[in-house]
Amino acid sequence: QNTLENYEPGWVHHDICARLERFSKAVAEKKSPRLMLLVPPRHGKSELASIRLPAWHLGHHPNHEIINVGYNLDLPMIFSKKVRALLRDPYYQQLFPETVMDPDTQATEAWMTTRGGGFKAAGVGGGITGKGAHILIIDDPLKNMEEADSADRRELLDNWYQSTAYTRLAPGGGVLFIECMVGDTPVRMADGTERRLDEIKAGDEIASY
């Protein structure tokens, strides 16, 4: 159901949704999927991937846990509120009657369903103690172009991902990475080198964790 005023989906939105549905299915099948959405600003990628996907996935798998990470806590908190609002919507409850919010755990930063799943908002560099993730969503982990151009900042992000965020992933869980990227954005390849985004060709292997 399209509840967004003036939202006109185009081919790219249908393509993203198809990829997200395959990603959700692969998570349910414990196939450890990895998906990167590298889309320019204002193309609706966060609306689909950080809001609609969590609601959709929890509708089918209310026992699954989702962690959403941003460059600070502000944006993931906004996403959390919107996902929570979707779960409370009467139309959603008709579609997914088994997915009900736990009335005792409805804080914006972390809330749960009555089946043990839920949503956790977090900022890069922060702790995620006590929370697991069947789906780890990393949406805009870098604040601006200055951070994106900083090798030190990228290294700190990579270290935090490997030492903290990745360790929360459930066996067979999925990682969804969302970022605004331009042609000269450096991307880490599977062999450990970095290459410009516009130099990567079909079939090239990027780093995966």
Side-chain angles (χ1 to χ4, degrees), residues 142 145 148-151 154 181-189 193-197 200:
L142 296 168
M145 186 63 70
D149 287 340
S150 169
R154 295 198 304 272
M181 301 184 80
V182 294
D184 60 355
T185 299
V187 177
R188 181 167 295 183
M189 308 303 293
T193 62
E194 286 192 347
R195 194 181 306 173
R196 286 169 51 114
L197 178 64
I200 299 175

PDB file of all heavy atoms in Angstrom, residues 142 145 148-151 154 181-189 193-197 200:
ATOM      1  N   LEU A 142      28.910   7.261   6.755  1.00  0.00           N
ATOM      2  CA  LEU A 142      29.808   8.408   6.686  1.00  0.00           C
ATOM      3  C   LEU A 142      28.980   9.678   6.560  1.00  0.00           C
ATOM      4  O   LEU A 142      28.058   9.757   5.761  1.00  0.00           O
ATOM      5  CB  LEU A 142      30.749   8.273   5.497  1.00  0.00           C
ATOM      6  CG  LEU A 142      31.713   7.079   5.571  1.00  0.00           C
ATOM      7  CD1 LEU A 142      32.393   6.860   4.236  1.00  0.00           C
ATOM      8  CD2 LEU A 142      32.740   7.292   6.676  1.00  0.00           C
ATOM      9  N   MET A 145      31.186  14.181   2.529  1.00  0.00           N
ATOM     10  CA  MET A 145      32.263  13.893   1.589  1.00  0.00           C
ATOM     11  C   MET A 145      33.633  13.950   2.256  1.00  0.00           C
ATOM     12  O   MET A 145      34.535  13.186   1.926  1.00  0.00           O
ATOM     13  CB  MET A 145      32.212  14.875   0.415  1.00  0.00           C
ATOM     14  CG  MET A 145      33.206  14.555  -0.698  1.00  0.00           C
ATOM     15  SD  MET A 145      32.882  12.965  -1.486  1.00  0.00           S
ATOM     16  CE  MET A 145      31.364  13.355  -2.360  1.00  0.00           C
ATOM     17  N   ALA A 148      34.164  10.719   3.838  1.00  0.00           N
ATOM     18  CA  ALA A 148      34.338   9.696   2.807  1.00  0.00           C
ATOM     19  C   ALA A 148      35.738   9.755   2.195  1.00  0.00           C
ATOM     20  O   ALA A 148      36.296   8.730   1.792  1.00  0.00           O
ATOM     21  CB  ALA A 148      33.284   9.858   1.721  1.00  0.00           C
ATOM     22  N   ASP A 149      36.318  10.965   2.114  1.00  0.00           N
ATOM     23  CA  ASP A 149      37.643  11.131   1.534  1.00  0.00           C
ATOM     24  C   ASP A 149      38.771  10.850   2.521  1.00  0.00           C
ATOM     25  O   ASP A 149      39.942  10.839   2.141  1.00  0.00           O
ATOM     26  CB  ASP A 149      37.811  12.560   0.999  1.00  0.00           C
ATOM     27  CG  ASP A 149      37.012  12.795  -0.274  1.00  0.00           C
ATOM     28  OD1 ASP A 149      36.662  11.800  -0.933  1.00  0.00           O
ATOM     29  OD2 ASP A 149      36.723  13.964  -0.588  1.00  0.00           O
ATOM     30  N   SER A 150      38.419  10.630   3.796  1.00  0.00           N
ATOM     31  CA  SER A 150      39.429  10.432   4.835  1.00  0.00           C
ATOM     32  C   SER A 150      39.754   8.950   4.988  1.00  0.00           C
ATOM     33  O   SER A 150      38.910   8.155   5.399  1.00  0.00           O
ATOM     34  CB  SER A 150      38.927  10.988   6.168  1.00  0.00           C
ATOM     35  OG  SER A 150      39.766  10.585   7.231  1.00  0.00           O
ATOM     36  N   ALA A 151      41.002   8.587   4.675  1.00  0.00           N
ATOM     37  CA  ALA A 151      41.419   7.189   4.842  1.00  0.00           C
ATOM     38  C   ALA A 151      41.354   6.782   6.303  1.00  0.00           C
ATOM     39  O   ALA A 151      41.001   5.636   6.619  1.00  0.00           O
ATOM     40  CB  ALA A 151      42.834   7.008   4.298  1.00  0.00           C
ATOM     41  N   ARG A 154      37.723   6.070   7.214  1.00  0.00           N
ATOM     42  CA  ARG A 154      37.280   4.810   6.625  1.00  0.00           C
ATOM     43  C   ARG A 154      37.868   3.625   7.379  1.00  0.00           C
ATOM     44  O   ARG A 154      37.199   2.603   7.574  1.00  0.00           O
ATOM     45  CB  ARG A 154      37.656   4.747   5.142  1.00  0.00           C
ATOM     46  CG  ARG A 154      36.964   5.787   4.272  1.00  0.00           C
ATOM     47  CD  ARG A 154      37.020   5.412   2.804  1.00  0.00           C
ATOM     48  NE  ARG A 154      38.372   5.200   2.327  1.00  0.00           N
ATOM     49  CZ  ARG A 154      39.161   6.158   1.854  1.00  0.00           C
ATOM     50  NH1 ARG A 154      38.737   7.409   1.817  1.00  0.00           N
ATOM     51  NH2 ARG A 154      40.379   5.876   1.416  1.00  0.00           N
ATOM     52  N   MET A 181      26.953   7.257  -3.259  1.00  0.00           N
ATOM     53  CA  MET A 181      28.320   7.149  -3.755  1.00  0.00           C
ATOM     54  C   MET A 181      28.440   7.823  -5.119  1.00  0.00           C
ATOM     55  O   MET A 181      27.491   7.845  -5.898  1.00  0.00           O
ATOM     56  CB  MET A 181      28.745   5.681  -3.852  1.00  0.00           C
ATOM     57  CG  MET A 181      28.672   4.945  -2.526  1.00  0.00           C
ATOM     58  SD  MET A 181      29.284   3.239  -2.594  1.00  0.00           S
ATOM     59  CE  MET A 181      31.048   3.506  -2.516  1.00  0.00           C
ATOM     60  N   VAL A 182      29.610   8.363  -5.374  1.00  0.00           N
ATOM     61  CA  VAL A 182      29.897   8.998  -6.657  1.00  0.00           C
ATOM     62  C   VAL A 182      31.047   8.256  -7.322  1.00  0.00           C
ATOM     63  O   VAL A 182      31.645   7.353  -6.738  1.00  0.00           O
ATOM     64  CB  VAL A 182      30.257  10.486  -6.458  1.00  0.00           C
ATOM     65  CG1 VAL A 182      29.052  11.250  -5.939  1.00  0.00           C
ATOM     66  CG2 VAL A 182      31.433  10.653  -5.493  1.00  0.00           C
ATOM     67  N   GLY A 183      31.362   8.654  -8.550  1.00  0.00           N
ATOM     68  CA  GLY A 183      32.325   7.900  -9.341  1.00  0.00           C
ATOM     69  C   GLY A 183      33.691   7.743  -8.727  1.00  0.00           C
ATOM     70  O   GLY A 183      34.349   6.722  -8.906  1.00  0.00           O
ATOM     71  N   ASP A 184      34.185   8.764  -7.989  1.00  0.00           N
ATOM     72  CA  ASP A 184      35.538   8.657  -7.456  1.00  0.00           C
ATOM     73  C   ASP A 184      35.571   8.106  -6.032  1.00  0.00           C
ATOM     74  O   ASP A 184      36.606   8.129  -5.376  1.00  0.00           O
ATOM     75  CB  ASP A 184      36.236  10.019  -7.499  1.00  0.00           C
ATOM     76  CG  ASP A 184      35.515  11.083  -6.673  1.00  0.00           C
ATOM     77  OD1 ASP A 184      34.425  10.793  -6.155  1.00  0.00           O
ATOM     78  OD2 ASP A 184      36.066  12.200  -6.543  1.00  0.00           O
ATOM     79  N   THR A 185      34.438   7.594  -5.536  1.00  0.00           N
ATOM     80  CA  THR A 185      34.402   7.000  -4.198  1.00  0.00           C
ATOM     81  C   THR A 185      35.290   5.758  -4.171  1.00  0.00           C
ATOM     82  O   THR A 185      35.145   4.869  -5.007  1.00  0.00           O
ATOM     83  CB  THR A 185      32.973   6.604  -3.802  1.00  0.00           C
ATOM     84  OG1 THR A 185      32.163   7.773  -3.784  1.00  0.00           O
ATOM     85  CG2 THR A 185      32.955   5.961  -2.426  1.00  0.00           C
ATOM     86  N   PRO A 186      36.227   5.666  -3.227  1.00  0.00           N
ATOM     87  CA  PRO A 186      37.080   4.476  -3.151  1.00  0.00           C
ATOM     88  C   PRO A 186      36.315   3.288  -2.573  1.00  0.00           C
ATOM     89  O   PRO A 186      35.577   3.427  -1.602  1.00  0.00           O
ATOM     90  CB  PRO A 186      38.215   4.912  -2.221  1.00  0.00           C
ATOM     91  CG  PRO A 186      37.626   5.989  -1.372  1.00  0.00           C
ATOM     92  CD  PRO A 186      36.607   6.684  -2.233  1.00  0.00           C
ATOM     93  N   VAL A 187      36.477   2.141  -3.185  1.00  0.00           N
ATOM     94  CA  VAL A 187      35.821   0.912  -2.745  1.00  0.00           C
ATOM     95  C   VAL A 187      36.893  -0.136  -2.483  1.00  0.00           C
ATOM     96  O   VAL A 187      37.791  -0.343  -3.304  1.00  0.00           O
ATOM     97  CB  VAL A 187      34.830   0.394  -3.818  1.00  0.00           C
ATOM     98  CG1 VAL A 187      34.201  -0.926  -3.366  1.00  0.00           C
ATOM     99  CG2 VAL A 187      33.748   1.440  -4.084  1.00  0.00           C
ATOM    100  N   ARG A 188      36.811  -0.804  -1.330  1.00  0.00           N
ATOM    101  CA  ARG A 188      37.787  -1.844  -1.007  1.00  0.00           C
ATOM    102  C   ARG A 188      37.447  -3.127  -1.757  1.00  0.00           C
ATOM    103  O   ARG A 188      36.336  -3.622  -1.684  1.00  0.00           O
ATOM    104  CB  ARG A 188      37.829  -2.105   0.498  1.00  0.00           C
ATOM    105  CG  ARG A 188      38.850  -3.162   0.906  1.00  0.00           C
ATOM    106  CD  ARG A 188      39.088  -3.185   2.384  1.00  0.00           C
ATOM    107  NE  ARG A 188      39.711  -1.931   2.825  1.00  0.00           N
ATOM    108  CZ  ARG A 188      40.083  -1.703   4.088  1.00  0.00           C
ATOM    109  NH1 ARG A 188      39.892  -2.609   5.018  1.00  0.00           N
ATOM    110  NH2 ARG A 188      40.620  -0.550   4.411  1.00  0.00           N
ATOM    111  N   MET A 189      38.442  -3.663  -2.452  1.00  0.00           N
ATOM    112  CA  MET A 189      38.233  -4.861  -3.246  1.00  0.00           C
ATOM    113  C   MET A 189      38.572  -6.109  -2.433  1.00  0.00           C
ATOM    114  O   MET A 189      39.132  -6.033  -1.339  1.00  0.00           O
ATOM    115  CB  MET A 189      39.095  -4.800  -4.514  1.00  0.00           C
ATOM    116  CG  MET A 189      38.919  -3.511  -5.320  1.00  0.00           C
ATOM    117  SD  MET A 189      37.202  -3.216  -5.828  1.00  0.00           S
ATOM    118  CE  MET A 189      36.962  -4.572  -6.979  1.00  0.00           C
ATOM    119  N   THR A 193      42.963  -4.150  -1.996  1.00  0.00           N
ATOM    120  CA  THR A 193      43.267  -2.864  -2.604  1.00  0.00           C
ATOM    121  C   THR A 193      42.005  -2.000  -2.655  1.00  0.00           C
ATOM    122  O   THR A 193      40.895  -2.477  -2.402  1.00  0.00           O
ATOM    123  CB  THR A 193      43.814  -3.050  -4.027  1.00  0.00           C
ATOM    124  OG1 THR A 193      42.805  -3.684  -4.837  1.00  0.00           O
ATOM    125  CG2 THR A 193      45.069  -3.912  -4.011  1.00  0.00           C
ATOM    126  N   GLU A 194      42.186  -0.716  -2.983  1.00  0.00           N
ATOM    127  CA  GLU A 194      41.050   0.177  -3.174  1.00  0.00           C
ATOM    128  C   GLU A 194      40.997   0.609  -4.640  1.00  0.00           C
ATOM    129  O   GLU A 194      42.027   0.814  -5.282  1.00  0.00           O
ATOM    130  CB  GLU A 194      41.146   1.411  -2.268  1.00  0.00           C
ATOM    131  CG  GLU A 194      40.842   1.118  -0.814  1.00  0.00           C
ATOM    132  CD  GLU A 194      40.656   2.380   0.009  1.00  0.00           C
ATOM    133  OE1 GLU A 194      40.996   3.479  -0.489  1.00  0.00           O
ATOM    134  OE2 GLU A 194      40.181   2.285   1.153  1.00  0.00           O
ATOM    135  N   ARG A 195      39.767   0.743  -5.150  1.00  0.00           N
ATOM    136  CA  ARG A 195      39.578   1.145  -6.534  1.00  0.00           C
ATOM    137  C   ARG A 195      38.420   2.134  -6.601  1.00  0.00           C
ATOM    138  O   ARG A 195      37.469   2.032  -5.817  1.00  0.00           O
ATOM    139  CB  ARG A 195      39.282  -0.084  -7.401  1.00  0.00           C
ATOM    140  CG  ARG A 195      39.410   0.168  -8.894  1.00  0.00           C
ATOM    141  CD  ARG A 195      39.076  -1.065  -9.694  1.00  0.00           C
ATOM    142  NE  ARG A 195      39.844  -2.238  -9.294  1.00  0.00           N
ATOM    143  CZ  ARG A 195      39.629  -3.463  -9.769  1.00  0.00           C
ATOM    144  NH1 ARG A 195      38.664  -3.658 -10.652  1.00  0.00           N
ATOM    145  NH2 ARG A 195      40.368  -4.465  -9.367  1.00  0.00           N
ATOM    146  N   ARG A 196      38.502   3.075  -7.503  1.00  0.00           N
ATOM    147  CA  ARG A 196      37.404   4.012  -7.697  1.00  0.00           C
ATOM    148  C   ARG A 196      36.139   3.268  -8.130  1.00  0.00           C
ATOM    149  O   ARG A 196      36.202   2.294  -8.871  1.00  0.00           O
ATOM    150  CB  ARG A 196      37.768   5.047  -8.760  1.00  0.00           C
ATOM    151  CG  ARG A 196      38.767   6.103  -8.338  1.00  0.00           C
ATOM    152  CD  ARG A 196      39.240   6.888  -9.556  1.00  0.00           C
ATOM    153  NE  ARG A 196      38.129   7.372 -10.352  1.00  0.00           N
ATOM    154  CZ  ARG A 196      37.812   8.663 -10.513  1.00  0.00           C
ATOM    155  NH1 ARG A 196      38.524   9.585  -9.911  1.00  0.00           N
ATOM    156  NH2 ARG A 196      36.802   9.018 -11.267  1.00  0.00           N
ATOM    157  N   LEU A 197      34.988   3.773  -7.656  1.00  0.00           N
ATOM    158  CA  LEU A 197      33.724   3.132  -7.996  1.00  0.00           C
ATOM    159  C   LEU A 197      33.517   3.049  -9.504  1.00  0.00           C
ATOM    160  O   LEU A 197      33.058   2.031 -10.032  1.00  0.00           O
ATOM    161  CB  LEU A 197      32.566   3.898  -7.343  1.00  0.00           C
ATOM    162  CG  LEU A 197      31.153   3.392  -7.639  1.00  0.00           C
ATOM    163  CD1 LEU A 197      30.959   1.989  -7.084  1.00  0.00           C
ATOM    164  CD2 LEU A 197      30.114   4.336  -7.044  1.00  0.00           C
ATOM    165  N   ILE A 200      35.199   0.049 -11.363  1.00  0.00           N
ATOM    166  CA  ILE A 200      34.811  -1.336 -11.099  1.00  0.00           C
ATOM    167  C   ILE A 200      33.957  -1.860 -12.227  1.00  0.00           C
ATOM    168  O   ILE A 200      33.030  -1.199 -12.682  1.00  0.00           O
ATOM    169  CB  ILE A 200      34.073  -1.438  -9.748  1.00  0.00           C
ATOM    170  CG1 ILE A 200      34.980  -0.979  -8.601  1.00  0.00           C
ATOM    171  CG2 ILE A 200      33.563  -2.853  -9.506  1.00  0.00           C
ATOM    172  CD1 ILE A 200      34.286  -0.942  -7.255  1.00  0.00           C
TER     173      ILE A 200
END
